[in-house]
Amino acid sequence: MTNLSQGGLDGASQLDEHGTLEFWAATYSVQAYALRDYCALYTDLHQLLEQRQAQRGGVVVHVEEETGAVRRAAQRVTRMATVLSCFPAITASCRAFTKTSVGYERRVLALLRADTLKSYAAVFETVARNGLPAGKMGDNVILTCGSLIQGISGVMGVHTVPCDSSDDYNLEIYSEFVKAAAESHVLDHACRIVLRGLEAEATAAPKSVQRVGRSPDMDMPTLLGHFHLAINKTVLSLVAPLELRQSNGALHPRPLAAPRTGTDPALLALLPAVRGVLSGTGVQMWAAKQLLDVANMAATMGPAAATTGAAEAEGASRYLGLPPAVRTPPRLLTHAVLLSSGHADVTNSLQLALSVARAMWEMTMSGPLAPVMRMPGAPAEGSTARRGVATAAGPAAGGSAAGGASGGGSVAGGSAGGDSAAGGSAASGSAASGSAAARTSSLYRLPRSIPLSAGQVCALITTALNGVVEPQAQGQALYAVRRGSQVQGEMASMVALACRLASELQPQRAAAVLRRLWKTAASWLVHMRAPEAHVALKRMLASLGALLLHEYPGEGAASARPQRATAAGGQVKADGRTLAFAVALEAGLVEWLAAALEGALAGAAEWHVPAYGVAMLTDLLLRPSCALPPLLAHADGTSLFRLLETLRIAGETTRDQMTLRGQDPQATKEYVLVGGNVMCIIVQLLEQVTAVYMRAPPEGLESCIHGPGDSSSGSSAGGVPGAAAAGSGGLPGQPVPDAAAAAIDRTAAALLTKTCRSQVPKQRLRRMWLMTRGRKPFAVLALSRLLPTLFPFRQAAFLDAGARDSVLGLTTVYTAPALQLLRVVLALPAGSSCAASPTAAARQTAALRESRAESWRGLLMADEGVALTWVAAVLAAATACKWPEVTAAALDLLEVLVLALPPEAVAARVQLVRGAGVAGAAALPPAGRMLPLVLGEGWLRQQGREKLAAALTERACRMSRGADGGGSNSSSGGGGGGAGGGAWPLCTQWTDADLQLCEAVAGKHQLASVPEVPAPIEVMWLLPKELGVKVCAGPGCSQLDPGKVASSHHACEGCAVAAYCSAECKAAHVRAGHQRLECAGMRAGRETCESLYAGRWPEQWAV
Ligand SMILES: [Zn+2]
Ligand SMILES: [Zn+2]
């Protein structure tokens, strides 16, 4: 064979030029005859061997040791194999399958149209059915089959994998190949041979590693290894043209997205046939087997492999119920084989295995609840695709029955029971919840040739990836992390695939799969620091995020929720948690997310690169998933505390990095980019938190959730269906009543920016509102800790044209505490002083309100009046960039602030330019980014803010009168000191202008419905008492361990609220003006809390 291909170069050009289609057709006909003969001879040989074995009482017969009929039959098989090997040699000699050679298409089409693949398939089928003879003869058979399978990848018409453009494949040849492959089941039988060969090798008596006189290249494991690679390359080539720039989910059996516009319809028409080829039992088992091998591979490659490898391999093989006979012993794993033969790149074989499994299952696998995408104008799309699969896969299923006792076949039989069990539970599940059954009337069924259920595939994926990502013994670096980012990319795609499948399962079966999935994802993310890996994770993180608020149709609230979670609380609460969310929480989502963020920060510091990982984790896992507000409501407090602190430190760290001026302008640019991204993400997270917790809720939401009766009615399964449905709208898996859904959508559109809503399904936003009740202290904690990281934004280059939505978002975020302040201010007693209140209880209430006002004011007026500075910066930017809605939002915020802040604090920072007409300076828009904010009365009127202008005018008049009296500005600095706080509005009567403005503001923001939340001071005082942790009050402190602050002895003596991790932080806080600005107020707040709460949470804010 080698001689022929080298010596035939002259003949090659002759054949290249003169070999006609007819010539090649004739050649391949001859080959087909030869192949047919080979099958017959092989069957004969096998029968003889079986007879001989029976005569010998079952002892394995080696052909080499036989004489007579057996020997003669073996010789005939070998001779025919020699003839067969001439054909690949001829084609190789004339570069027949090289795209650039003359007449390439002609030859390949001749081969495909001569039913060559059918002949190959017949050979593979014969070998797979009969098994391999022991000894050298078996090696020869594999060698022959291997040369055939290697020829296959040459005739597919796919030149480059993955395909980047239509130049990388030849559509005519590719379609011919797909048709031939679908008709012949050649790939399915080829996979069976390898499965069978591995099975034979695994069960064979252990033999000396090397047989005498044999080159290791011709050893059975090596031959199988090459066979293995050839199949994988064929599978990848088969899917490559279809995958070309196709959007994620477009190729699923039940597509999640429309095909890329401009995709050749002829190519798309091949999809059902390709799916049919890949749905063969043998091919599916082949991929499953490889994933198990990946797990084994990782186990045997780790540093502890020598001791634990075998045990790990055994553990991994338990999945699918693989009998011992078909487990692959470590010595037969492809990577080990190829390594020992000095051949291949192991990474490559791992990556190949993952790619094959991923590409194949993405195109063939869907869970029973897989959603159907309704194509506009083509309602029958999904059903035709499925019919296509069914017809294409039908014969393959027949083939598997004929395959009989092959390795694939036996396992397929074992798992068929599991599949039907899945169907059974699906039926009972849908029977239990009638409305759900109506909504998912057509459950998806996999083609019968696929021996695995979606749940089993998920288990396989997590098993394989766990093997790769789990830290090996002795703290060694992760196997996968040491590999290239391409492997990481494949692994991430696998997780994304598992996420999709997990979301398509029956809720009853999903919990276990989800648990494993989160475990895998967590152990990967927590241990991954290498920055280049983060790019690979994008898809995976998005899929994991989408899973967080996923709802299974008809998942009953009480029945689906894990019981353990409710057992701790002692009573079942209909808290609206979805199954997927509850499982993620149980799997420690918050803890490992915090750990992963820390790791990403540490990794970035270690590698001196921007913290891409932080940006990606927070963005993809928390923002579009809408998961942060529900986490604040449901997660364990201590972990939540830690997560929020990690987020804050991540924000501060990336922000600090933005100001680094390195040598390399490109590096600086990247720091600014990542820092800016993190800032924008934090803005959006706070948008969600404040919208859900601190603004007026969507109308009718409460009655939708609780119904007319009590909240417990939703969990009573025996109730009247109609009555339960009325009150169960908020329960997971139940349709949200239309009115409530519309109200939530309206509220979302009003309170969240488009960026924040983009790519978030409405269903998820609704669920965010429905799952988020109670636990307001954590929302306040999030706001009061994260908002300060955004203070420096007002000067940043952030205020450019691209930042419109972030500016708008942060403005609405500032509006939430401003409304809280206004709410408290309006509730303050109108009397002159709290001491005059008649009863002790009234005095206490008044003191609490004053403390709250003081606390909110402290947040809004920190940094010498940050909220007003923000308004000034935003108005300047909005004017420059022509953003009318941003101007409106900023003026909305200003209206609230003008009413809620002490008049002198406003007067010192906002100046009104008065004048008649619209032509003068009074009509000019504000231009300065810094304080004082100069507003033209005429301009305000142009904006329709007559009431604001009137109120400011009144105030200016009053202030000028006050200034004559002397020095009232002295108390207006910074956070509105104690004196300033107490003075408003007790000593001042509101003017008519104020009252009119207040009426307008209260209507606009539905002030009466704005929920009561604790003030930051209350949270800072009470949370440590509840959780035993404290945060460091040092500005910009990056101490991550709240427990350390609690145990340190650094605290402010004045207020006994501000605690510090170190003397440095304490000194920094003093320098920042703590004593001057806030200490007294915090002391008063602490005393109020102490007397009011006695160190215990008030009932309404139970955590
Ligand atoms: Zn500190
Ligand atoms: Zn203090």
Side-chain angles (χ1 to χ4, degrees):
M1 168 172 166
T2 319
N3 288 341
L4 252 173
S5 61
Q6 280 169 357
L9 281 175
D10 285 342
S13 57
Q14 299 268 315
L15 284 174
D16 277 351
E17 286 181 29
H18 303 298
T20 61
L21 190 63
E22 290 74 25
F23 169 82
W24 285 105
T27 307
Y28 289 117
S29 300
V30 174
Q31 189 193 16
Y33 280 117
L35 288 163
R36 218 166 295 159
D37 283 353
Y38 186 84
C39 288
L41 293 171
Y42 190 84
T43 310
D44 288 348
L45 171 65
H46 186 78
Q47 279 167 359
L48 283 170
L49 281 172
E50 273 194 339
Q51 285 166 13
R52 197 82 186 91
Q53 188 161 336
Q55 287 165 9
R56 294 258 200 107
V59 178
V60 174
V61 178
H62 279 252
V63 176
E64 290 84 2
E65 296 157 7
E66 294 294 320
T67 53
V70 171
R71 189 170 181 80
R72 281 195 298 280
Q75 279 168 346
R76 279 199 296 276
V77 171
T78 312
R79 267 202 302 277
M80 191 49 78
T82 315
V83 173
L84 283 177
S85 73
C86 290
F87 289 91
I90 292 169
T91 49
S93 72
C94 66
R95 298 176 289 125
F97 299 150
T98 316
K99 182 184 162 190
T100 49
S101 79
V102 183
Y104 155 75
E105 282 188 31
R106 197 166 62 217
R107 279 188 292 279
V108 175
L109 288 175
L111 180 145
L112 292 171
R113 288 171 190 169
D115 277 349
T116 310
L117 293 193
K118 271 189 186 159
S119 313
Y120 286 8
V123 173
F124 294 158
E125 200 268 336
T126 307
V127 174
R129 176 164 37 91
N130 292 314
L132 294 166
K136 190 172 173 236
M137 186 68 210
D139 298 353
N140 282 338
V141 173
I142 283 291
L143 189 61
T144 307
C145 294
S147 74
L148 298 180
I149 189 79
Q150 273 166 350
I152 285 183
S153 62
V155 301
M156 303 175 71
V158 182
H159 311 306
T160 316
V161 177
C163 294
D164 285 324
S165 74
S166 55
D167 290 342
D168 290 338
Y169 64 93
N170 177 322
L171 183 58
E172 188 186 3
I173 297 180
Y174 178 67
S175 353
E176 289 276 346
F177 176 84
V178 168
K179 279 172 205 152
E183 280 169 18
S184 62
H185 312 297
V186 63
L187 199 57
D188 201 51
H189 293 304
C191 289
R192 285 166 197 277
I193 292 189
V194 186
L195 291 170
R196 185 82 197 238
L198 287 172
E199 181 188 342
E201 280 291 299
T203 50
K207 53 196 170 204
S208 58
V209 174
Q210 202 135 327
R211 272 167 275 163
V212 185
R214 298 188 58 97
S215 132
D217 257 355
M218 306 297 268
D219 205 13
M220 176 65 91
T222 313
L223 293 170
L224 285 174
H226 287 298
F227 208 129
H228 180 136
L229 290 178
I231 292 181
N232 281 355
K233 283 180 181 154
T234 308
V235 171
L236 287 180
S237 303
L238 188 63
V239 298
L242 281 163
E243 281 191 328
L244 167 66
R245 291 201 304 271
Q246 211 54 264
S247 61
N248 186 19
L251 300 178
H252 294 164
R254 303 202 107 180
L256 301 177
R260 178 176 60 86
T261 46
T263 307
D264 192 336
L267 188 60
L268 272 185
L270 297 173
L271 178 58
V274 170
R275 192 177 286 136
V277 172
L278 297 176
S279 300
T281 309
V283 188
Q284 293 277 327
M285 287 311 299
W286 169 244
K289 179 93 172 166
Q290 286 191 86
L291 276 196
L292 292 177
D293 285 359
V294 165
N296 292 336
M297 194 188 299
T300 56
M301 290 202 63
T307 51
T308 65
E312 289 278 332
E314 191 153 315
S317 290
R318 274 192 210 115
Y319 295 96
L320 291 179
L322 283 176
V326 294
R327 291 179 198 170
T328 310
R331 71 188 163 84
L332 290 179
L333 294 175
T334 308
H335 82 95
V337 166
L338 296 177
L339 266 192
S340 71
S341 69
H343 174 268
D345 172 10
V346 178
T347 306
N348 194 30
S349 97
L350 169 63
Q351 192 190 330
L352 264 182
L354 291 172
S355 307
V356 164
R358 196 253 324 141
M360 199 186 85
W361 281 327
E362 269 187 351
M363 287 177 65
T364 60
M365 189 67 69
S366 268
L369 298 181
V372 190
M373 195 193 66
R374 280 179 185 79
M375 305 270 287
E381 176 73 19
S383 61
T384 42
R386 256 176 303 141
R387 256 202 315 278
V389 171
T391 47
S400 89
S406 77
S410 67
V411 180
S415 57
D419 214 25
S420 67
S425 77
S428 66
S430 57
S433 50
S435 67
R439 292 204 301 158
T440 60
S441 54
S442 61
L443 289 183
Y444 177 73
R445 296 229 180 274
L446 288 168
R448 271 184 312 169
S449 63
I450 295 184
L452 308 160
S453 69
Q456 282 172 315
V457 166
C458 284
L460 268 170
I461 291 173
T462 49
T463 302
L465 292 185
N466 264 340
V468 182
V469 300
E470 267 176 11
Q472 308 289 341
Q474 297 140 7
Q476 292 281 328
L478 289 176
Y479 173 71
V481 174
R482 288 186 275 115
R483 303 289 129 194
S485 62
Q486 276 188 313
V487 176
Q488 303 254 11
E490 282 300 342
M491 289 166 54
S493 298
M494 289 299 269
V495 174
L497 170 66
C499 286
R500 171 175 70 80
L501 291 177
S503 70
E504 292 171 2
L505 296 176
Q506 294 284 345
Q508 292 89 340
R509 295 171 57 85
V513 167
L514 288 171
R515 247 172 238 129
R516 294 172 52 90
L517 191 57
W518 283 116
K519 180 168 170 273
T520 306
S523 83
W524 186 4
L525 289 174
V526 167
H527 293 97
M528 173 133 44
R529 294 187 172 196
E532 75 274 5
H534 292 125
V535 182
L537 298 184
K538 242 178 177 164
R539 229 188 110 195
M540 171 177 109
L541 290 175
S543 302
L544 286 169
L547 206 51
L548 274 175
L549 295 199
H550 175 74
E551 283 181 70
Y552 291 93
E555 63 175 275
S559 61
R561 192 175 313 129
Q563 294 303 306
R564 197 171 66 79
T566 54
Q571 60 186 49
V572 178
K573 286 191 287 184
D575 57 10
R577 292 195 301 174
T578 61
L579 171 72
F581 184 80
V583 170
L585 268 190
E586 259 188 59
L589 170 72
V590 179
E591 290 86 349
W592 67 252
L593 187 52
L597 280 172
E598 283 169 37
L601 273 179
E606 190 182 315
W607 295 68
H608 303 289
V609 292
Y612 300 109
V614 169
M616 289 196 42
L617 282 165
T618 45
D619 183 23
L620 295 171
L621 272 179
L622 287 179
R623 185 187 58 84
S625 72
C626 302
L628 185 58
L631 284 178
L632 296 177
H634 299 289
D636 161 67
T638 314
S639 325
L640 207 50
F641 208 80
R642 189 181 178 88
L643 175 65
L644 290 175
E645 280 302 287
T646 318
L647 261 177
R648 179 184 66 82
I649 289 164
E652 293 196 342
T653 309
T654 49
R655 191 192 68 210
D656 291 347
Q657 284 173 341
M658 288 170 82
T659 58
L660 287 180
R661 289 285 173 264
Q663 303 290 324
D664 180 2
Q666 180 63 30
T668 310
K669 204 173 147 192
E670 285 188 24
Y671 275 111
V672 169
L673 194 72
V674 170
N677 279 346
V678 171
M679 297 281 119
C680 293
I681 293 158
I682 292 180
V683 168
Q684 289 176 31
L685 292 178
L686 287 181
E687 270 182 65
Q688 294 177 349
V689 170
T690 52
V692 166
Y693 283 97
M694 296 174 69
R695 301 296 292 268
E699 279 170 49
L701 186 65
E702 284 303 305
S703 65
C704 150
I705 295 163
H706 297 302
D710 194 4
S711 65
S712 62
S713 67
S715 58
S716 62
V720 185
S728 67
L731 294 179
Q734 305 295 324
V736 180
D738 289 347
I744 294 177
D745 294 347
R746 272 198 307 277
T747 310
L751 294 181
L752 301 177
T753 53
K754 195 156 175 267
T755 315
C756 194
R757 284 178 285 132
S758 68
Q759 295 172 348
V760 180
K762 277 189 174 165
Q763 187 58 31
R764 204 180 295 162
L765 278 173
R766 291 172 193 162
R767 181 48 56 194
M768 175 173 87
W769 252 277
L770 290 167
M771 276 170 80
T772 309
R773 269 162 290 131
R775 301 253 293 187
K776 289 165 187 159
F778 285 104
V780 174
L781 181 71
L783 180 73
S784 63
R785 295 300 284 172
L786 291 178
L787 190 57
T789 68
L790 302 171
F791 286 170
F793 252 9
R794 58 192 188 267
Q795 293 111 352
F798 167 75
L799 294 175
D800 62 15
R804 199 199 67 131
D805 263 19
S806 292
V807 173
L808 191 57
L810 188 48
T811 309
T812 55
V813 168
Y814 273 115
T815 308
L819 284 170
Q820 285 294 328
L821 177 57
L822 181 59
R823 197 177 177 284
V824 178
V825 164
L826 288 175
L828 278 171
S832 59
S833 160
C834 55
S837 296
T839 65
R843 272 202 303 278
Q844 248 184 0
T845 313
L848 174 66
R849 285 177 179 150
E850 278 180 37
S851 289
R852 281 189 183 167
E854 176 67 35
S855 184
W856 286 118
R857 227 164 6 225
L859 184 67
L860 289 164
M861 295 302 281
D863 240 3
E864 307 294 329
V866 64
L868 286 169
T869 320
W870 174 252
V871 172
V874 170
L875 286 177
T879 305
C881 302
K882 297 192 172 56
W883 295 331
E885 65 276 56
V886 177
T887 304
L891 288 175
D892 281 350
L893 172 59
L894 182 62
E895 285 174 348
V896 182
L897 289 173
V898 162
L899 289 170
L901 290 172
E904 56 277 21
V906 176
R909 294 172 175 85
V910 183
Q911 290 177 5
L912 194 71
V913 179
R914 304 182 63 189
V918 291
L924 291 179
R929 283 190 174 185
M930 301 305 288
L931 295 180
L933 166 62
V934 181
L935 289 170
E937 193 185 1
W939 180 79
L940 278 178
R941 291 185 195 284
Q942 278 174 26
Q943 305 296 315
R945 305 284 172 156
E946 291 84 1
K947 285 173 184 159
L948 177 60
L952 282 172
T953 310
E954 290 280 344
R955 242 153 249 250
C957 294
R958 211 168 342 131
M959 280 306 124
S960 63
R961 282 200 299 277
D964 292 342
S968 73
N969 277 354
S970 61
S971 66
S972 64
W984 169 253
L986 306 179
C987 307
T988 319
Q989 292 302 313
W990 272 12
T991 61
D992 286 348
D994 284 339
L995 288 173
Q996 282 185 10
L997 179 61
C998 186
E999 203 177 312
V1001 165
K1004 195 184 297 175
H1005 299 282
Q1006 292 172 278
L1007 197 59
S1009 308
V1010 167
E1012 182 187 20
V1013 300
I1017 178 72
E1018 295 170 86
V1019 174
M1020 295 306 279
W1021 169 245
L1022 286 162
L1023 265 187
K1025 296 227 172 300
E1026 285 287 305
L1027 306 174
V1029 288
K1030 273 188 183 176
V1031 289
C1032 176
C1037 172
S1038 54
Q1039 172 62 46
L1040 250 179
D1041 183 1
K1044 191 176 172 201
V1045 183
S1047 63
S1048 87
H1049 301 291
H1050 302 283
C1052 174
E1053 294 83 7
C1055 56
V1057 175
Y1060 308 98
C1061 66
S1062 61
E1064 290 78 44
C1065 278
K1066 188 173 176 183
H1069 204 209
V1070 170
R1071 274 199 305 281
H1074 168 66
Q1075 261 77 5
R1076 181 169 54 90
L1077 300 175
E1078 56 183 19
C1079 192
M1082 285 169 85
R1083 181 196 176 92
R1086 172 177 63 82
E1087 284 166 355
T1088 307
C1089 291
E1090 264 169 3
S1091 66
L1092 202 63
Y1093 300 143
R1096 284 176 48 213
W1097 273 112
E1099 193 72 14
Q1100 79 260 35
W1101 294 327
V1103 292

